Amino acid sequence: MSMSVLPRAADAALFGNRFAIEEVPTKEFPVDGMTAVDAMRLVSEDLALEGDPARNLATFVTTWMEPEAQRVIAENLHRNFIDHAEYPRTAEIEQRCIRMLADLFHAPGDTTGARTQGSSEAIMLGALSLKWRWRKAREAAGGSTSSPNLVFGGDVHVVWEKFCRYFDVEPRIVPLRPGKYTIGPEDVAPHVDENTIGVAAVLGTTFTGHKDDIVGINDLLVRLKGERGLDVPLHVDAASGGFVWPFLYPDTPWDFRLEQVHSINVSGHKFGLVYPGIGWLIFRDRAALAPELVFEENYLGKTDATFTLNFSTGSAMVLAQYYNFVRYGRAGYAYIMRNMQTNARVLAEKLQAMGRFELIGADEEQLPLVAFRLTGDQPYDEFDIAWQLAAERGWMVPAYTLPPDAQDVTIMRALVKQTLSREHVDTLARDLEEACATLAKKGGAHESERRKIVTGSGH
């Protein structure tokens, strides 16, 4: 009995994946399409070559959400957030989130804000409001508006420098130094003058997880207002810390409890526990938002007031943020943050017990992470350890140098997130010790390996 030979395409359709032996499209726009199953498998198999997000201790961005939250996201990916006329409940949910965050950050009364793609957009908008309100005040006083400046430390995210370049503002950057990786009032004072549109302070730096002396900077600005008539607002970049400090350090003032704090940004997709991208900008009160930045536009028959750099964007992450707020509440967020903090402290203790590492500011208020560096004379460095950990065990633990003038200081940072269990912490500690033992035997990473090492603090 003869058997017919099926064409190769038919074999692939019947038995498996056509790209098992075919090259995938990479350069030219495909002439023909493919089945949905083939397209799904092509993309999935490409991504299988990437790192495991559960072992990515570099990124602050959320890598896991509950199945119910994922369902909310999946069911709303087709909903355009900006279409307020068609989707008024989505717009209302955004406003609920803004009001809840204003409450969390101790806003003194009725306020306003906006959802953004992340903290980068929120910072751009917040800093624009600082510039425009400064310009209006200078014009009213008959002063020049030609030379605005913005004061911040070297511990900020790069978006602050981007803002200054894109919107023609002089950046007055306070340099760091070995042993001092945040800024305080004594650093800020020499840089503030009548052309200062604002000061930016960080709550939870990406480098070491600590906060600037926000209380001290606020007190300085209050004094300058009374003594010199300089009313300089303070913006708090709480991208990472805005969902940590309210739950781990609720008695520490950093937010609208401080007089000169006019605006705060926070990333929902970091410790807000939502997938990227969602950020929030919250103002102290409505007067803190420059009204000229609010754009009245008629779209699809409804007049809306918009305050964003983007227009069309998905609703899913706004809805996912609201899901988290009502799902966890203060008690749930506090429980999750305490768990992460507990595991961070366990990891810190294990690293210290190895006798090879120095912890960075472990006794200070800090994000749930461990920042550490090598001590003593070793035949390998932090970059070698990062490479060995990734090569041997797939862990992504960043090694990086700090900003000027602390550029000669190299540290590592392990971010402890919701999915890093106690067992994972124990395993990571063992893997770190084994990586160091391997490097000691081979005298550090090979030069060919060092050329492949990725440096950077991760965001």
Side-chain angles (χ1 to χ4, degrees):
M1 182 176 181
S2 63
M3 298 181 65
S4 61
V5 178
L6 295 173
R8 179 178 295 174
D11 285 345
L14 182 60
F15 299 121
N17 177 12
R18 61 182 275 195
F19 294 107
I21 55 176
E22 284 185 34
E23 291 186 2
V24 302
T26 59
K27 297 179 181 178
E28 298 175 349
F29 202 96
V31 175
D32 298 312
M34 64 185 72
T35 68
V37 170
D38 281 342
M40 178 184 69
R41 292 187 68 169
L42 186 158
V43 175
S44 297
E45 289 175 6
D46 246 351
L47 294 179
L49 300 175
E50 291 201 312
D52 178 4
R55 294 189 175 199
N56 186 352
L57 309 188
T59 182
F60 285 85
V61 175
T62 296
T63 54
W64 179 86
M65 292 190 74
E66 292 182 319
E68 294 83 358
Q70 294 184 41
R71 180 173 176 179
V72 169
I73 291 169
E75 291 177 353
N76 289 282
L77 288 170
H78 63 306
R79 198 178 304 277
N80 188 0
F81 173 76
I82 204 66
D83 292 349
H84 293 168
E86 286 72 24
Y87 309 128
R89 301 313 298 171
T90 303
E92 162 59 19
I93 287 173
E94 177 212 25
Q95 292 303 310
R96 291 178 191 175
C97 290
I98 290 169
R99 291 192 291 268
M100 290 178 179
L101 286 169
D103 175 56
L104 188 66
F105 299 159
H106 298 93
D110 185 36
T111 185
T112 188
R115 54 81 46 215
T116 59
Q117 286 299 107
S119 273
S120 292
E121 183 188 4
I123 286 167
M124 290 282 186
L125 291 168
L128 272 174
S129 186
L130 293 178
K131 181 181 178 181
W132 285 34
R133 291 184 74 249
W134 166 84
R135 185 172 63 190
K136 189 172 183 180
R138 290 287 289 167
E139 288 172 347
S144 170
T145 61
S146 62
S147 304
N149 68 71
L150 181 63
V151 180
F152 51 86
D155 55 336
V156 299
H157 189 282
V158 68
V159 69
W160 285 100
E161 294 183 62
K162 283 185 177 180
F163 166 80
C164 290
R165 184 182 301 179
Y166 294 171
F167 293 102
D168 198 23
V169 173
E170 176 198 352
R172 293 188 173 178
I173 305 173
V174 179
L176 307 183
R177 62 179 185 266
K180 190 174 187 301
Y181 310 128
T182 55
I183 65 168
E186 69 283 357
D187 306 302
V188 170
H191 302 286
V192 176
D193 58 28
E194 67 276 3
N195 289 318
T196 302
I197 67 172
V199 176
V202 184
L203 184 77
T205 75
T206 59
F207 299 104
T208 66
H210 299 105
K211 64 175 175 63
D212 289 334
D213 182 0
I214 300 173
V215 170
I217 295 171
N218 173 80
D219 292 346
L220 165 71
L221 298 179
V222 170
R223 287 199 306 274
L224 290 178
K225 184 165 61 172
E227 295 170 3
R228 296 169 52 187
L230 293 178
D231 189 2
V232 179
L234 178 57
H235 177 99
V236 177
D237 181 353
S240 297
F243 281 110
V244 173
W245 260 259
F247 306 112
L248 292 186
Y249 315 107
D251 297 327
T252 297
W254 60 270
D255 50 17
F256 296 124
R257 286 170 287 184
L258 304 178
E259 180 180 333
Q260 289 302 108
V261 174
H262 283 212
S263 49
I264 297 170
N265 67 275
V266 64
S267 293
H269 60 223
K270 292 182 180 176
F271 290 102
L273 309 179
V274 178
Y275 290 141
I278 180 74
W280 300 94
L281 174 61
I282 310 296
F283 289 94
R284 180 182 194 85
D285 49 39
R286 293 183 180 276
L289 168 59
E292 297 85 356
L293 289 174
V294 180
F295 199 85
E296 298 283 347
E297 48 85 22
N298 186 295
Y299 184 63
L300 298 180
K302 184 178 185 297
T303 300
D304 272 326
T306 61
F307 176 52
T308 58
L309 294 177
N310 294 296
F311 195 67
S312 291
T313 190
S315 297
M317 298 312 163
V318 174
L319 302 177
Q321 185 74 86
Y322 184 63
Y323 168 92
N324 275 359
F325 287 177
V326 298
R327 162 74 175 98
Y328 296 127
R330 289 178 183 264
Y333 269 101
Y335 171 80
I336 292 167
M337 298 302 155
R338 284 195 299 266
N339 283 351
M340 292 191 285
Q341 184 185 54
T342 297
N343 279 339
R345 287 173 174 169
V346 170
L347 179 59
E349 290 168 3
K350 289 179 176 291
L351 289 175
Q352 201 157 32
M354 293 178 195
R356 295 188 180 93
F357 299 106
E358 169 196 353
L359 303 180
I360 308 296
D363 57 344
E364 302 171 26
E365 292 182 359
Q366 191 176 27
L367 296 173
L369 57 79
V370 184
F372 57 102
R373 57 186 302 218
L374 280 168
T375 58
D377 187 17
Q378 308 289 351
Y380 52 89
D381 60 19
E382 289 85 356
F383 296 108
D384 293 348
I385 297 174
W387 168 264
Q388 196 66 35
L389 266 179
E392 277 192 48
R393 301 296 182 184
W395 292 107
M396 289 169 268
V397 179
Y400 48 91
T401 56
L402 294 177
D405 290 334
Q407 67 270 16
D408 294 330
V409 179
T410 302
I411 70 172
M412 300 184 72
R413 189 201 66 221
L415 188 64
V416 177
K417 297 201 289 189
Q418 190 177 5
T419 50
L420 197 73
S421 68
R422 173 58 190 268
E423 176 60 25
H424 290 163
V425 168
D426 293 343
T427 302
L428 172 61
R430 287 194 299 269
D431 289 346
L432 260 166
E433 193 153 29
E434 289 176 8
C436 290
T438 300
L439 289 166
K441 288 179 182 177
K442 70 180 189 179
H446 189 271
E447 194 56 42
S448 62
E449 294 173 322
R450 286 180 173 160
R451 285 196 294 268
K452 301 174 185 177
I453 293 173
V454 177
T455 62
S457 59
H459 304 107

